[in-house]
Amino acid sequence: MIDALFSWLLLPLGFALGWALSRGYPHQGRAITPEKLGGLVTHLVSDNPDETLAALSEAAEMDSSAAEMHLTLGNLFRKRGEVDRALHIHEDLLARPNLPPELRNQARFELAQDYHKAGLMDRAEEISLALAAEGQYTVPSLELVRTIYEQGRDWEQAIRISRRIESAKGESKREVIAQYYCELAEEARARKDAAAALDLAERAASEDPSCIRAQLLLGALQEAAGEGAEAAKHYRLAFERDPRFLPEVIEPLRRCAEKTGDAEAYLLFLQDAKEMSPSSLPILAEAHLMRQEGLEVADYLAQGLETRPGRAVLAEFLEVLEHQPGVVAAGLDKPAASLRSAIRKLMETTPRYRCSHCGFSPRQLFWQCPSCKQWATTTPIDDVLKS
Ligand SMILES: [Zn+2]
């Protein structure tokens, strides 16, 4: 515990105290003396923040440098998860009538963050919006409000506040705005309002033409509406934007080809996919087509395994092998079946996606990473086994 205190509190506070000590408080004759500093450090190592605070307040009455020390301390308490203490410090600071305006605004912004962390979203929102309206801490305040709307899944407000951030910061927020439109489209889809869902997904795609999620959503909506050719166009676009999304489109594209009867388009796509992606999935898809035609695929899969040793292809190969007369006669069909079953189990339990921002590896695709809260950083993991 004392070690943690040293890292969180003692070092930064030591700097603040050292700075205050070097300045002294000649106008009040209440400089922090080495004795008082020693007393503060004793309180800190005794892990008693209340006494530390009391000592701080005693050491110097509220002039600006002491207020800055309180701000530092409050910030540290919040980072440590001690929100009540942070709130207490910042509320106490704001109750002081002589606090200079810049420190008052800083304390208000800190307080907004405390309220957010404490789950008091209305209060955090109110302070942040007031600060932004006064042109104080504008971008960080608006960003905090954006986070609050995201957490409340209030996507329309999140879009509105993002537009304000765009103009305040002079930086595009189109990527995240497209994600909010996709969220609205998903909600419309869930309440079976296909027309609204399509309109919102199209807005997402026009907001950010590189948005893969919007293309996948448009593909799914068009497919559900029976528009196979239109759906295939969007699925292909999603793949072309980022070939790592092949696992998300390969099966939908097969379904579309089946519905439209355009097998050639699907075969052409598989050719392109082999060129654009190192994945073994096109080999697997081609083998499925060959099996449907009654063709022998063992050699084809064996060849595919040499260049793209994916787990799915390996499992398929073993399944084909199990039924080869020579393999059965040699009594190798059972070991092949066990190995295939082990590979399939492994495939069912290993992560399928990874967030490029924080490394979080879930089994399902999240458009906002549940761990780091970044948007569109999670992509499918390549199935090909690497040495
Ligand atoms: Zn992440």
Side-chain angles (χ1 to χ4, degrees):
M1 193 66 206
I2 285 172
D3 286 349
L5 265 173
F6 264 104
S7 59
W8 278 109
L9 274 174
L10 207 48
L11 289 176
L13 204 67
F15 284 122
L17 289 171
W19 173 71
L21 188 63
S22 68
R23 282 172 45 133
Y25 298 93
H27 58 290
Q28 291 186 346
R30 296 180 70 98
I32 298 180
T33 61
E35 293 74 33
K36 281 180 180 168
L37 181 61
L40 284 174
V41 172
T42 308
H43 286 309
L44 284 168
V45 295
S46 70
D47 192 16
N48 194 330
D50 287 337
E51 284 183 28
T52 308
L53 273 180
L56 262 175
S57 299
E58 193 196 353
E61 281 182 353
M62 287 306 301
D63 75 352
S64 63
S65 48
E68 280 160 16
M69 277 193 282
H70 275 70
L71 284 166
T72 305
L73 196 60
N75 201 336
L76 290 167
F77 275 136
R78 189 177 61 248
K79 281 184 179 158
R80 268 167 50 114
E82 296 185 49
V83 188
D84 285 351
R85 286 201 161 112
L87 272 168
H88 177 71
I89 289 174
H90 296 132
E91 279 170 346
D92 186 53
L93 266 177
L94 286 168
R96 314 239 170 190
N98 300 326
L99 196 65
E102 66 274 21
L103 293 178
R104 177 168 296 280
N105 289 331
Q106 192 183 342
R108 286 164 75 201
F109 180 58
E110 295 291 337
L111 191 64
Q113 292 175 83
D114 297 340
Y115 281 139
H116 175 241
K117 194 139 187 184
L120 300 166
M121 302 303 187
D122 288 355
R123 290 194 201 178
E125 181 190 352
E126 192 185 336
I127 297 174
S128 302
L129 287 176
L131 278 168
E134 294 163 30
Q136 301 294 332
Y137 293 83
T138 309
V139 172
S141 295
L142 293 176
E143 285 287 4
L144 184 61
V145 177
R146 187 173 70 87
T147 307
I148 292 168
Y149 293 153
E150 265 188 14
Q151 286 170 334
R153 304 183 65 79
D154 190 342
W155 310 116
E156 282 174 16
Q157 288 277 49
I159 291 170
R160 248 173 254 138
I161 211 79
S162 299
R163 302 247 190 251
R164 275 184 72 183
I165 296 170
E166 275 186 332
S167 50
K169 208 175 178 182
E171 198 179 286
S172 171
K173 284 276 176 193
R174 292 172 80 89
E175 287 178 18
V176 76
I177 291 173
Q179 292 291 329
Y180 297 149
Y181 275 120
C182 286
E183 290 288 344
L184 287 167
E186 297 275 18
E187 285 178 1
R189 191 185 181 196
R191 61 172 189 270
K192 312 247 182 274
D193 187 347
L198 199 62
D199 178 52
L200 288 158
E202 272 165 4
R203 267 202 248 178
S206 69
E207 193 70 41
D208 176 14
S210 67
C211 180
I212 290 155
R213 182 186 186 183
Q215 296 305 330
L216 290 176
L217 200 48
L218 284 167
L221 291 164
Q222 295 286 11
E223 192 186 345
E227 302 289 340
E230 189 63 20
K233 196 183 88 188
H234 291 294
Y235 288 136
R236 277 206 65 140
L237 269 175
F239 170 71
E240 282 159 20
R241 300 269 193 274
D242 188 342
R244 288 176 298 178
F245 279 84
L246 179 64
E248 304 303 310
V249 302
I250 195 162
E251 175 56 17
L253 277 167
R254 188 200 60 74
R255 287 196 308 260
C256 289
E258 203 172 68
K259 277 178 202 148
T260 57
D262 192 352
E264 200 174 331
Y266 181 55
L267 286 171
L268 279 173
F269 167 72
L270 292 178
Q271 282 304 321
D272 290 348
K274 278 196 280 188
E275 281 169 28
M276 291 170 68
S277 158
S279 168
S280 63
L281 292 179
I283 306 286
L284 194 65
E286 283 175 347
H288 282 166
L289 291 176
M290 288 166 73
R291 282 178 91 174
Q292 276 175 5
E293 299 287 319
L295 296 169
E296 187 57 56
V297 294
D299 287 347
Y300 181 74
L301 286 169
Q303 235 174 20
L305 273 172
E306 277 179 33
T307 49
R308 295 165 191 245
R311 280 175 294 197
V313 175
L314 184 57
E316 186 82 2
F317 177 64
L318 288 165
E319 197 176 330
V320 170
L321 217 58
E322 278 165 51
H323 302 101
Q324 299 280 313
V327 173
V328 177
L332 291 171
D333 53 329
K334 286 204 169 68
S338 305
L339 189 55
R340 180 206 11 105
S341 155
I343 292 166
R344 290 249 153 91
K345 270 195 191 113
L346 191 70
M347 286 165 63
E348 281 161 21
T349 50
T350 46
R352 294 179 55 213
Y353 302 92
R354 185 178 298 118
C355 170
S356 61
H357 189 257
C358 73
F360 179 68
S361 303
R363 287 270 313 151
Q364 71 178 98
L365 177 57
F366 290 103
W367 294 105
Q368 184 182 29
C369 174
S371 176
C372 69
K373 309 293 178 204
Q374 294 290 310
W375 289 92
T377 49
T378 303
T379 50
I381 297 175
D382 188 3
D383 171 64
V384 170
L385 301 161
K386 295 184 179 78
S387 57

